[in-house]
Amino acid sequence: MRRDAYNTFIATGKRLSSAWWKSADQLLEAGSTPTDWQARFIDAHEAWVEFSTAAAAVSVAGPRAVAEAADELRRAMSEWETIGTAWSHEAIRGGVGRLEHFNTRFQAAAQAKRVPDKAFQAAARKALGTDD
């Protein structure tokens, strides 16, 4: 059960990351439109729902150290999600996707999620006894 929960959490996290990178690329692409941005935002939001569900499964599967590491990663991803959502909404509302202040914050949040991502993987390996 734990291995499945951890694998799903990792896979949905990668899907969420991919969805947000595609969304950011679309927002920065010359010639893209609010319709394009809305479609990418919907994909990212759906990926967030999957990731959140997977995070809840990890908290149930435990142990506590892995659940806490997953929650730290979920918080970091939530920050990234919040910035991406605000960027998408502002772009759609204003008709301009290339908003550098959002891009700068988005890039910083993407970088900030790396440490909790690695910490989760380390905690999962330890819990599964594969940390040789």
Side-chain angles (χ1 to χ4, degrees):
M1 177 175 103
R2 283 182 176 165
R3 184 179 303 276
D4 288 344
Y6 302 167
N7 284 338
T8 299
F9 184 65
I10 291 167
T12 59
K14 299 301 180 195
R15 178 171 153 22
L16 178 57
S17 291
S18 175
W20 274 118
W21 284 119
K22 288 176 183 177
S23 183
D25 288 347
Q26 187 78 65
L27 286 160
L28 295 170
E29 184 178 307
S32 62
T33 68
T35 302
D36 299 326
W37 307 330
Q38 180 69 33
R40 288 290 184 194
F41 170 74
I42 289 169
D43 186 46
H45 181 69
E46 289 170 355
W48 171 256
V49 172
E50 292 172 9
F51 178 75
S52 294
T53 301
V58 170
S59 76
V60 171
R64 185 179 318 274
V66 178
E68 289 171 356
D71 193 50
E72 286 297 316
L73 179 54
R74 187 199 55 75
R75 279 196 289 273
M77 295 292 273
S78 177
E79 177 65 23
W80 200 34
E81 171 86 7
T82 298
I83 294 164
T85 297
W87 184 5
S88 296
H89 288 171
E90 183 65 28
I92 292 164
R93 187 174 26 259
V96 176
R98 188 173 284 278
L99 300 169
E100 282 307 315
H101 63 285
F102 280 112
N103 186 32
T104 300
R105 291 177 54 214
F106 183 86
Q107 297 291 333
Q111 187 69 24
K113 73 180 181 62
R114 289 182 177 188
V115 170
D117 186 26
K118 295 295 182 198
F120 170 77
Q121 291 176 34
R125 282 192 309 275
K126 184 175 180 186
L128 294 172
T130 60
D131 198 22
D132 298 337

